């Protein structure tokens, strides 16, 4: 299993890193478009569709992303769009986590399918727009989610249940603790402050999300990164409850040793649109 994980990680990095740092955003947008289309196929399977309808769902998502690209939407950030997407994630995410695993099958499948496709499409549009802004900006968003996850993991292992008497959401994700969430939040605060200082020292041509927010005020920056870290946890929990409702461990086996695409991007699905909403305010 470890060998599989390493090989898959190396292959993914060999594809993603050159695309990310290419002089133009198009290669990265193309790679992530393919990944999101694969996520659409996984979404069909998680909602009980057979092979052919799941593939069709992936093609629908591919067409939505490609159509947005063709229409030039990747270069046209819209505060209204991102505010609506972010608000929907906050409300729907809270409602889904509150309802738990048992609440998911009660939602009509048509609504579940359309909602998932829209969430994946908006995540792709957000990551594409972030790459158009610049690599430094995009990485500041992606790394926030990774740091929140890493700090949460180690804080949870070290301090889980030492300060609280119950886990975060035991029926959805038994391994998560409140101490892990707090550890992730400490991690993103440290990350944000360090990144702002690094931007200033390097005189970054493209400011990170953190530098944009810090220009408004440090309290705004701190509140924003804590909010994004919290929503990354919501994204993770939502995918976990959907997989539990579907009776599967992973969204697919497309990435040997790592599960599926949705397993890798679940925390990014709410975070990317919300980051673009904050960036639209802080322009």
């Amino acid at each position: 299993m470890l060998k599989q994980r390493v090989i898959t990680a190396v292959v993914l990095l060999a594809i993603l890193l050159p695309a990310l740092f290419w002089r133009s955003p198009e290669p990265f947008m193309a790679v992530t478009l393919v990944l999101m289309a694969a996520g659409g196929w996984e979404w069909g399977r998680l909602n009980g569709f057979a092979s052919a309808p799941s593939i069709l769902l992936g093609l629908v998502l591919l067409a939505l992303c490609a159509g947005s690209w063709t229409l030039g939407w990747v270069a046209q950030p819209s505060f209204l769009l991102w505010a609506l997407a972010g608000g929907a994630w906050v409300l729907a995410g809270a409602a889904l986590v509150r309802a738990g695993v048992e609440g998911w099958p009660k939602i009509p499948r048509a609504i579940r399918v359309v909602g998932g496709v829209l969430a994946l499409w908006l995540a792709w549009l957000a990551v594409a727009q972030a790459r158009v802004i610049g690599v430094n900006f995009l990485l500041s968003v992606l790394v926030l989610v990774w740091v929140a996850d890493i700090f949460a993991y180690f804080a949870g292992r070290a301090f889980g249940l030492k300060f609280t008497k119950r886990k975060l959401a035991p029926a959805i994700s038994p391994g998560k603790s409140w101490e892990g969430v707090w550890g992730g939040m400490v991690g993103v605060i440290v990350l944000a402050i360090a990144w702002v200082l690094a931007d200033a020292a390097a005189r970054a041509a493209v400011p990170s999300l953190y530098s944009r927010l810090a220009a408004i005020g440090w309290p705004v920056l701190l509140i924003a990164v804590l909010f994004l870290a919290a929503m990354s946890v919501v994204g993770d929990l939502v995918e976990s409850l959907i997989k539990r409702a579907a009776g599967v461990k992973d969204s697919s086996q497309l990435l040997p040793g790592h599960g599926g695409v949705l397993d890798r991007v679940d925390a990014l699905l709410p975070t990317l649109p919300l980051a673009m909403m904050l960036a639209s305010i802080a322009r």
Side-chain angles (χ1 to χ4, degrees):
M1 178 63 74
L2 178 60
K3 184 178 179 181
Q4 269 191 337
R5 290 177 68 89
V6 171
I7 292 173
T8 302
V10 169
V11 171
L12 284 174
L13 289 174
I15 296 171
L16 285 169
L17 287 181
L20 174 63
F21 290 102
W22 196 257
R23 60 181 178 272
S24 66
E26 285 77 14
F28 184 75
M29 289 159 54
V31 171
T32 52
L33 187 153
V34 172
L35 289 175
M36 284 302 181
W41 168 74
E42 292 177 354
W43 186 244
R45 287 162 50 91
L46 286 175
N47 281 279
F49 284 126
S51 179
S54 296
I55 292 173
L56 179 60
L57 208 58
L59 292 175
V60 168
L61 194 53
L62 181 70
L64 280 173
C65 296
S68 304
W69 189 347
T70 302
L71 292 171
W73 292 359
V74 295
Q76 299 173 7
S78 167
F79 170 74
L80 178 60
L81 173 64
W82 298 126
L84 290 172
W89 256 112
V90 170
L91 296 175
L96 288 171
V97 172
R98 182 179 178 83
V101 177
E102 298 79 9
W104 181 249
K106 297 176 183 177
I107 302 171
R109 185 161 68 166
I111 294 176
R112 285 186 268 137
V113 170
V114 171
V117 168
L118 288 176
L120 288 168
W121 167 61
L122 288 168
W124 178 84
L125 186 58
V127 82
Q129 288 189 358
R131 178 57 185 87
V132 168
I133 292 171
V135 173
N136 187 41
F137 177 83
L138 172 59
L139 281 177
S140 68
V141 180
L142 299 180
V143 174
L144 178 144
V145 172
W146 300 334
V147 165
D149 188 49
I150 292 168
F151 271 69
Y153 174 78
F154 286 106
R157 288 190 51 109
F159 305 110
L161 298 183
K162 289 187 177 180
F163 301 102
T164 57
K165 295 184 183 292
R166 64 187 301 272
K167 293 192 174 183
L168 177 64
I172 298 174
S173 186
K176 286 184 171 54
S177 65
W178 282 105
E179 289 83 355
V181 173
W182 299 336
M185 290 183 172
V186 171
V188 299
I189 289 174
V190 173
L191 172 72
I193 294 171
W195 209 304
V196 170
L197 296 175
D199 275 355
R203 296 182 180 179
V206 178
S208 64
L209 173 64
Y210 313 122
S211 293
R212 288 175 177 235
L213 294 169
I216 300 175
W218 284 93
V220 172
L221 170 63
L222 296 179
I223 292 170
V225 297
L226 290 175
F227 173 57
L228 291 175
M231 288 307 298
S232 74
V233 175
V234 171
D236 195 323
L237 289 175
V238 167
E239 201 232 357
S240 293
L241 75 85
I242 292 169
K243 288 190 296 185
R244 283 187 174 275
V248 297
K249 181 181 178 182
D250 299 312
S251 58
S252 79
Q253 295 301 319
L254 284 178
L255 307 175
H258 293 266
V261 172
L262 295 180
D263 297 319
R264 298 300 95 202
V265 304
D266 52 4
L268 286 167
L269 294 180
T271 310
L272 283 164
L274 286 164
M276 291 307 298
M277 180 191 74
L278 294 170
S280 299
I281 296 172
R283 281 196 296 179

